[in-house]
Amino acid sequence: MSGIQVRLPDGRTLEVSPGSTTLDVAQQIGPGLARAALAGRLDGRLVDLRAPIERDAALEIVTAKDPAAGEVIRHSAEHVMADAVKALFPTAQIDVGRSDHSEKFQYDFLVEAPFTPDDLERIEAEMKRIIGESRSFEREVVSRDEARRLFAELGEELKVSRLGDIAEDEPITLFRHGDFVDLCRGPHVQHTGQIGAFKLLEVAGAYWRGDEKNPMLQRIYGTAFASSRELRDHLERIEEAKRRDHRRLGAQLDLFHIDAIAPGSPFYHPKGAVLYNGLVDYIRSLYPKYGFTEVIAPQLLRAELFKTSGHYELFRDDMFFMEGDEGEELGLKAMNCPAHCHLFGITKRSYRDLPIRFAEFSRLHRNERSGTLTGLARVRAFAQDDGHVYCEPDQVPEELERFFDMTAEVYRDLGLSISEVYVSTRPEKFLGTPEDWTRAENALVAAVEKAGFECGIKAGEAVFYAPKVEVDFRDVLGRPWTLATIQVDMAMPGRFGLRYVGRDGQEHQPAMLHRAVLGSLERFLAVYIEHTGGEFPLWLAPVQVLVLPIAERHNEYGGRVAEALRAAGLRAELDDRNEKLGFKIREAEVQKIPVMLVVGDQEQRDGTVSPRRRRGKGGSNETQTLDGCIAELAESVRLRQT
C-alpha cells in the first residue's frame, strides 16, 4: 500500500504510512514540536493528535501559540472537571459537555443535591491534583454495543441514552485519562499537564435535553487557557460582559422584558419598539438601492408547503403545528423561504424578470426548548431581515457582490467592522450533485476574495441543502459573532419545480440565494446592545435628545425647545422635574441618552441651548443657537453618524 502524502505549511511534503497520526507527523518533524503539540488541523479541520490520517491532506500542528489552542485546552479541562466530580461524588451521573469551546467549557451532572460554592472549591482542588499528575489522554474507537455495555456497567444511564443520538454510520470514540472515560469526538491535549490555567465560573440548573418535563441537572461552567495571564484577561472580560448583558441593559434602559405569560416571546416597551423599528426602517430604506421588493406571506400555512420544502421531515419538532376545522394540518411559519418559493412559482417567469429579490420582516415562530431560551439571544418569536434572490446561474456572482456591498454599508452605519469571513462547504450528507456543490462553493470563495477578504473554510459544516458565506464581526470584548450570511440553495428550487423561460425559449431552473444581513433581529439586538453597552448611535437611539431646564422657571422655554426638536423629526424629551441639574444629568447618563440640552437664564434670554454630549462621544459643549443646534443634530441623524 502506498504512503499518504502530508503537506506542511512551509510547503514540504512528508510521506507517512497509513494509520499514522498527527502526533506521529509531529515527532517526525522534531521532538520539540511533538512535545508542544496539542492537536492537528487537517485540511482546515481541527483533529485529535491520536486520530489516524486516512488520506492525502494538508496538515498543521496546533501548539499553544495557535488561535485554536484554547478550544482544545478547554475541551480537555472539561473532561478533567468531570473526572474530579466523579472522584468527589461517585454516584453522580454525567450527561454531556459543550460543543462550542471558544470561550468556556461545561458539563451537566445528575446529582442528589445541588452543588454549593464549597463544592466548586473542592472540585477545583481535585482538578489541580489531576492536572499536576499529567495524565495522558487516550483515544479509543469502540462498537456501539461495547460502549453501551461499558456505560451501563458504570451506572451512567444518561450516557447510555445519549448513544442513541449518534448516527448509526458514525464511529463511536471514547477518550480516557486515568480511570475516567467518556464518549467524545475530541480533540484533546496529549496529557492533563498541558492545561495551563483554569477557573470554575458558576453552577446553573439545566433540564435534561432542555425539556422541563425531564430531571433538573446541575451544570458547571468553567474556562481554561494556556497561561495564567490569558485566564486573568478573560475573567476581566467576563465581568465587563456581565455589565453589558443585554438582559440587564434591557431592563435598565426600559427596552424589553421576557414574561412567563409568553415564554420565549419578548415584550418590547415603547423605547425598545423605537429601537426595533429603527432597525427595520433602516434595512427597508436600503431595499430600493439593492433591488429588493418587500412581500408579506401568510403566518399560517398548510403542512403540504413544508413537506415540499423538506422542513416537515427535518424540522417538524422545531415548528408549531395545529389542526384546522376540517382536520387539515396547519403550520405556523418558522422560516420565509418555502412561502417565497411558492410565491415565485405561481407566476410564469422569464429571464427578463430576473433577478427577482423578495424581502420580508414577518414574525416567525420556532418551538425552541424552554431550557434553551435566553433573553433575546434565543427566542421562540422573532423576525429576520430575510431575503431570497431568484436569478439565472450566471447572475450569482453579481448577486454575491451586491450582498457584500449591502453588508459593508450596514456594518459601517452601525459602527461594526467585519473581522472574518468563512465559507461552509459540503457535508457528508447533502442534496444535489458534488459538481454543483463544487461550483457553488467556488463561486462563494471567489466572491469573498473579490470583496477583499481572506476566505476561511469551514469544511463540511454547511447544512445539507446549501453552502454558505458567514460574515463575522468581533465585539468590544473580542467575541466573534456571525451576523450576515448568504447561501446558494442546492435543493429548494428543484423541490418546488421552479422554472423560468430562458433566452433560448426553454425552461430552466433558477438559482436561489438566501441572504440576511442582520439575521434574526432579536439576536442582533442582543449582540448589538452588548457590543455598544446600550450607547446607541444618535440616529438609532430611542431618545436622541433630552432637554434639561436648570430651574422650574426655565420649564416653559425648555418645553418650546423640545417641541422644536420634535418638529424637526428628532426624538426629544423634556425633564422638567423639580430636581437638581446634576441629578438629572446623572440619570440621563445612566439612560445613555446621546445629547442633553441644558437651558437656564442665559439660554432662555438669548434663544440658545448648551449641548452636553454623552461621555466619550466628543463634540462641542459650547452654547449654540437653537436653530443651529437642531440643524446640526438633524444632519448627524441624516448621515447616520455613529
Side-chain angles (χ1 to χ4, degrees):
M1 182 180 294
S2 60
I4 292 174
Q5 304 300 311
V6 176
R7 300 183 302 282
L8 303 178
D10 63 5
R12 288 185 295 159
T13 299
L14 296 180
E15 182 172 319
V16 299
S17 59
S20 295
T21 66
T22 297
L23 187 56
D24 293 332
V25 175
Q27 290 169 337
Q28 187 172 338
I29 295 171
L33 181 62
R35 286 193 297 272
L38 301 177
R41 189 179 289 106
L42 201 64
D43 284 341
R45 188 195 299 268
L46 208 59
V47 297
D48 189 78
L49 288 167
R50 292 144 290 244
I53 302 172
E54 299 175 339
R55 63 182 186 279
D56 294 352
L59 176 66
E60 301 172 71
I61 308 299
V62 174
T63 67
K65 297 179 180 179
D66 192 286
E71 297 181 35
V72 183
I73 290 170
R74 284 183 279 280
H75 194 175
S76 304
E78 190 172 73
H79 279 229
V80 171
M81 178 181 72
D83 185 9
V85 169
K86 287 293 288 186
L88 296 171
F89 304 89
T91 61
Q93 286 194 50
I94 303 170
D95 190 27
V96 291
R98 188 177 180 88
S99 59
D100 176 11
H101 296 93
S102 58
E103 288 190 350
K104 64 179 73 171
F105 61 79
Q106 71 186 53
Y107 252 115
D108 291 352
F109 302 95
L110 180 60
V111 288
E112 295 176 359
F115 291 122
T116 67
D118 288 343
D119 290 335
L120 286 193
E121 289 185 10
R122 294 172 59 207
I123 294 167
E124 280 192 337
E126 181 67 14
M127 290 176 68
K128 288 178 182 177
R129 187 183 70 79
I130 295 168
I131 288 172
E133 293 179 353
S134 294
R135 299 179 184 178
S136 296
F137 280 91
E138 300 173 5
R139 180 179 182 271
E140 183 181 352
V141 180
V142 298
S143 70
R144 190 175 298 269
D145 287 341
E146 288 174 316
R148 184 177 291 108
R149 184 165 54 251
L150 169 66
F151 289 109
E153 290 173 355
L154 292 172
E156 297 285 357
E157 298 174 9
L158 302 184
K159 198 65 64 176
V160 172
S161 174
R162 290 290 184 179
L163 275 170
D165 299 341
I166 302 175
E168 289 294 331
D169 57 351
E170 186 175 343
I172 295 175
T173 55
L174 307 177
F175 274 86
R176 300 176 182 270
H177 67 272
D179 294 330
F180 180 79
V181 60
D182 197 8
L183 279 172
C184 188
R185 298 185 181 92
H188 290 290
V189 297
Q190 293 185 59
H191 55 81
T192 60
Q194 289 180 312
I195 299 170
F198 73 93
K199 176 69 177 175
L200 298 186
L201 302 173
E202 62 178 326
V203 179
Y207 290 109
W208 186 50
R209 294 185 179 272
D211 189 338
E212 66 274 16
K213 297 177 182 177
N214 288 333
M216 173 71 76
L217 308 184
Q218 290 288 289
R219 174 173 296 171
I220 301 179
Y221 291 99
T223 192
F225 290 85
S227 70
S228 297
R229 180 178 179 179
E230 290 177 275
L231 175 61
R232 184 179 66 250
D233 291 345
H234 179 74
L235 294 177
E236 289 175 357
R237 289 195 296 271
I238 287 178
E239 290 305 309
E240 179 62 20
K242 290 179 180 177
R243 288 189 287 270
R244 291 172 175 266
D245 188 298
H246 74 280
R247 292 163 295 186
R248 174 181 171 275
L249 288 171
Q252 175 185 318
L253 303 179
D254 195 23
L255 300 175
F256 70 90
H257 82 281
I258 307 294
D259 200 302
I261 201 68
S265 301
F267 281 82
Y268 287 100
H269 301 187
K271 290 179 181 178
V274 170
L275 182 63
Y276 182 97
N277 289 328
L279 286 171
V280 171
D281 291 343
Y282 167 58
I283 296 295
R284 186 174 276 143
S285 74
L286 298 176
Y287 285 162
K289 179 177 180 180
Y290 292 99
F292 282 88
T293 301
E294 198 166 352
V295 298
I296 301 175
Q299 291 282 304
L300 205 57
L301 298 146
R302 284 181 170 170
E304 282 71 19
L305 181 77
F306 302 109
K307 291 177 181 178
T308 300
S309 70
H311 290 99
Y312 190 91
E313 177 185 357
L314 295 165
F315 299 107
R316 189 182 192 283
D317 291 342
D318 298 319
M319 297 176 65
F320 292 101
F321 284 91
M322 63 196 73
E323 185 176 304
D325 62 350
E326 296 180 0
E328 62 181 348
E329 191 174 21
L330 302 172
L332 196 57
K333 187 168 61 172
M335 65 291 294
N336 290 310
C337 40
H340 288 188
C341 285
H342 179 79
L343 188 59
F344 179 93
I346 63 174
T347 301
K348 189 169 185 178
R349 308 289 184 178
S350 163
Y351 72 91
R352 295 185 180 88
D353 303 322
L354 305 184
I356 289 174
R357 307 180 188 94
F358 291 145
E360 185 166 5
F361 285 105
S362 290
R363 300 300 292 170
L364 304 173
H365 294 81
R366 294 185 184 175
N367 190 18
E368 302 283 0
R369 297 291 180 88
S370 61
T372 67
L373 301 175
T374 310
L376 295 179
R378 192 72 175 265
V379 292
R380 287 175 174 160
F382 62 99
Q384 294 175 312
D385 66 322
D386 215 354
H388 296 97
V389 180
Y390 303 89
C391 62
E392 296 181 271
D394 61 4
Q395 293 174 325
V396 168
E398 182 180 346
E399 293 304 310
L400 294 173
E401 185 174 349
R402 183 183 298 267
F403 162 76
F404 277 106
D405 288 345
M406 184 175 180
T407 298
E409 181 170 354
V410 171
Y411 276 35
R412 182 196 69 224
D413 288 346
L414 289 168
L416 309 176
S417 58
I418 296 172
S419 58
E420 295 98 21
V421 183
Y422 298 93
V423 169
S424 299
T425 61
R426 186 178 74 238
E428 292 184 9
K429 295 182 178 180
F430 60 93
L431 294 178
T433 67
E435 294 76 18
D436 286 342
W437 274 80
T438 298
R439 279 194 294 271
E441 290 164 1
N442 290 341
L444 294 180
V445 171
V448 170
E449 293 175 344
K450 185 176 181 180
F453 300 102
E454 181 179 343
C455 186
I457 300 295
K458 293 186 176 180
E461 293 192 19
V463 291
F464 69 95
Y465 64 87
K468 178 169 66 173
V469 170
E470 300 178 11
V471 181
D472 288 8
F473 97 101
R474 290 186 180 271
D475 65 16
V476 293
L477 299 177
R479 300 174 298 186
W481 301 95
T482 297
L483 298 179
T485 60
I486 191 164
Q487 298 168 280
V488 180
D489 197 311
M490 312 300 291
M492 217 168 291
R495 294 180 73 97
F496 278 90
L498 303 184
R499 295 290 184 270
Y500 70 94
V501 178
R503 290 170 171 79
D504 58 2
Q506 303 299 310
E507 288 193 339
H508 300 272
Q509 181 173 296
M512 179 182 177
L513 304 175
H514 304 245
R515 80 98 185 97
V517 178
L518 301 181
S520 158
L521 294 179
E522 276 66 22
R523 179 176 175 272
F524 177 82
L525 278 171
V527 172
Y528 195 59
I529 289 169
E530 295 185 3
H531 175 63
T532 62
E535 296 195 6
F536 307 115
L538 177 66
W539 66 270
L540 193 56
V543 178
Q544 295 167 323
V545 188
L546 183 62
V547 182
L548 301 176
I550 293 176
E552 188 173 352
R553 64 181 180 274
H554 307 125
N555 285 348
E556 182 182 352
Y557 176 64
R560 295 203 305 271
V561 170
E563 288 177 7
L565 289 162
R566 289 192 284 265
L570 295 163
R571 293 186 288 275
E573 292 185 356
L574 171 69
D575 186 349
D576 57 1
R577 294 175 298 168
N578 186 23
E579 299 285 356
K580 291 183 178 180
L581 179 62
F583 176 83
K584 293 180 181 181
I585 289 173
R586 285 192 295 274
E587 280 213 343
E589 287 175 342
V590 169
Q591 291 300 308
K592 304 181 187 295
I593 296 171
V595 179
M596 291 165 270
L597 298 185
V598 178
V599 295
D601 289 336
Q602 180 180 340
E603 289 80 14
Q604 184 169 281
R605 183 182 65 246
D606 300 337
T608 59
V609 292
S610 293
R612 185 185 180 96
R613 299 281 183 170
R614 190 168 56 206
R615 287 177 300 182
K617 290 298 181 181
S620 171
N621 289 335
E622 297 178 358
T623 299
Q624 292 180 271
T625 65
L626 178 57
D627 289 344
C629 181
I630 290 175
E632 180 183 305
L633 293 174
E635 182 68 1
S636 294
V637 170
R638 187 185 70 82
L639 295 175
R640 296 194 178 95
Q641 294 177 341
T642 57

